[in-house]
Amino acid sequence: MKVLVIGGGAREHALCRSLSLDPDVTDLYCAPGNAGIGEVAELYPVDALDGEAVARLATELEAGLVVVGPEAPLVAGVADAVRAVGIPCFGPSREAAALEGSKAFAKDVMAAAGVPTARSYICTTPEEIDEALDAFGAPYVVKDDGLAAGKGVVVTGDLDKAREHALACGGRVVIEEFLDGPEVSLFAITDGETVVPLTPAQDFKRALDGDEGPNTGGMGAYSPLPWADPKLVDEVMATVLQPTVDELHRRGTPFSGLLYAGLAITSRGVRVIEFNARFGDPETQVVLARLQTPLAGLLLHAAQGTLDLEPPLRWRDDAAVTVVVASHNYPDTPRTGDPIEGLDEVAAQDAPHAYVLHAGTKRDSDAIVSAGGRVLSVTATGKDLAQARERAYRAVARIRLDGSQHRTDIARKAAGE
Ligand code: AMP
Ligand code: GLY
């Protein structure tokens, strides 16, 4: 099978790595990719947001499957454009991707499907904003309705800051009840009817150790979650994933692709914080590190509506940890263009248990330089989280990137340290 992956972050590198290890994949392409993806796939400098261009490339390459990684192309209808030329595509339609593209739409679907989530108000005027903030009280949760790369949400005890963010969003704002308790990311593969859950992971959204600092796209992740209730996946399947997929099917806008449930395990039970319409980054790096089932066939079944034929997924017993190495000044105004050194040392000394997935990187003649906020996702497996953590951080220590930052506490508590 020839597979074309769309995107160029560490999530796409993780997808490409797993696809490259799948014996059914004969040729692997990625657009636009990055320096690391270029080692396992042939790169094409096509704009991921241009559906026509992506469909043309997929046709020229005679791809048997296109996998769309990021949310922006999905919300822009790239999966629809690929399907329109008769090529199976893993990723929801533009209409179904609104589950991520509009928080107000997601709230409406959840209400109709009886899915537990934070109570919320959708506000458009300063008066409505003040009323909603007053109704819930502190801590305040204020979200931009549209896509904001994980940076549109402010959670604060400060009423002035909450109001300021709400007004700065400019359009529709979602103000909601604060959810306490740990967060879990649970992904499910679906063809619009059948739903196959993956294994839960936990993401670290704040920039600094101890969950301090600003929200980011994610600074690290681990799986499995030793502290979670073993019945969690079954419960979320029954109360969240299947009802949501059924509701979108009932509306005539079936969701096929990856449904990402961001959950809070609150004192009053599981609640959905958000849905995403694609694999999470960096959670995918640890989830795929543990998935034993070949990836291409699974994604193709979802794309073709035959997921009911997929045998039960197989998982490694190993634990996995990923640590994001970010550039100077991420998430505000990340500095780019800095050379990255030490990648060869990781490959020579830490493989196969630890490896580097590239996010914002590019080739600059012989060097690899930073080209984004999140630069690398250093991933490791081990017999337990403590060993995976040790291996990941040993590899991180070999990387030299001027001004870079990473959290030192990824999976620390879960590993019992
Ligand atoms: P989102 O973009 O909706 O995933 O929100 C980003 C982050 O903000 C989440 O991962 C949570 O850490 C936090 N957050 C969002 N909604 C809530 C909420 N209702 N209560 C508490 N924290 C929240
Ligand atoms: N790690 C959070 C996300 O992918 O949205």
Side-chain angles (χ1 to χ4, degrees), residues 103 107 118-119 139 141-143 149-155 176-180 183 203 205-206 215-216 260 262 264 272-276:
K103 293 189 191 288
K107 286 288 185 189
R119 287 178 297 124
V141 182
V142 181
K143 305 185 175 187
K151 293 161 214 156
V153 178
V154 164
V155 180
E176 67 179 36
E177 162 193 26
F178 177 79
L179 300 174
D180 62 348
E183 288 179 38
D203 177 20
K205 289 230 166 77
R206 300 291 188 124
N215 253 318
T216 69
Y260 167 139
V272 173
I273 294 183
E274 61 161 351
F275 281 129
N276 292 319

Side-chain angles (χ1 to χ4, degrees), residues 29-92:
Y29 312 109
C30 186
N34 61 35
I37 297 174
E39 315 232 315
V40 291
E42 212 174 300
L43 303 187
Y44 289 85
V46 163
D47 178 5
L49 292 175
D50 184 341
E52 299 300 314
V54 170
R56 210 176 314 122
L57 177 66
T59 305
E60 279 165 18
L61 295 171
E62 298 177 337
L65 173 68
V66 175
V67 179
V68 181
E71 60 276 18
L74 293 166
V75 170
V78 168
D80 306 86
V82 172
R83 280 191 277 270
V85 295
I87 297 174
C89 186
F90 182 82

Side-chain angles (χ1 to χ4, degrees), residues 137-225:
Y140 304 99
V141 182
V142 181
K143 305 185 175 187
D144 194 333
D145 181 53
L147 286 186
K151 293 161 214 156
V153 178
V154 164
V155 180
T156 175
D158 184 331
L159 180 59
D160 291 332
K161 280 203 184 116
R163 190 184 285 126
E164 194 184 312
H165 180 64
L167 295 172
C169 288
R172 260 197 310 193
V173 183
V174 179
I175 293 178
E176 67 179 36
E177 162 193 26
F178 177 79
L179 300 174
D180 62 348
E183 288 179 38
V184 171
S185 302
L186 182 61
F187 304 162
I189 307 271
T190 175
D191 61 3
E193 292 183 70
T194 302
V195 182
V196 176
L198 303 185
T199 188
Q202 192 172 46
D203 177 20
F204 292 74
K205 289 230 166 77
R206 300 291 188 124
L208 307 175
D209 280 6
D211 293 329
E212 303 281 340
N215 253 318
T216 69
M219 294 298 289
Y222 68 91
S223 176
L225 312 181

Side-chain angles (χ1 to χ4, degrees), residues 99 289 356:
L99 208 52
V356 177

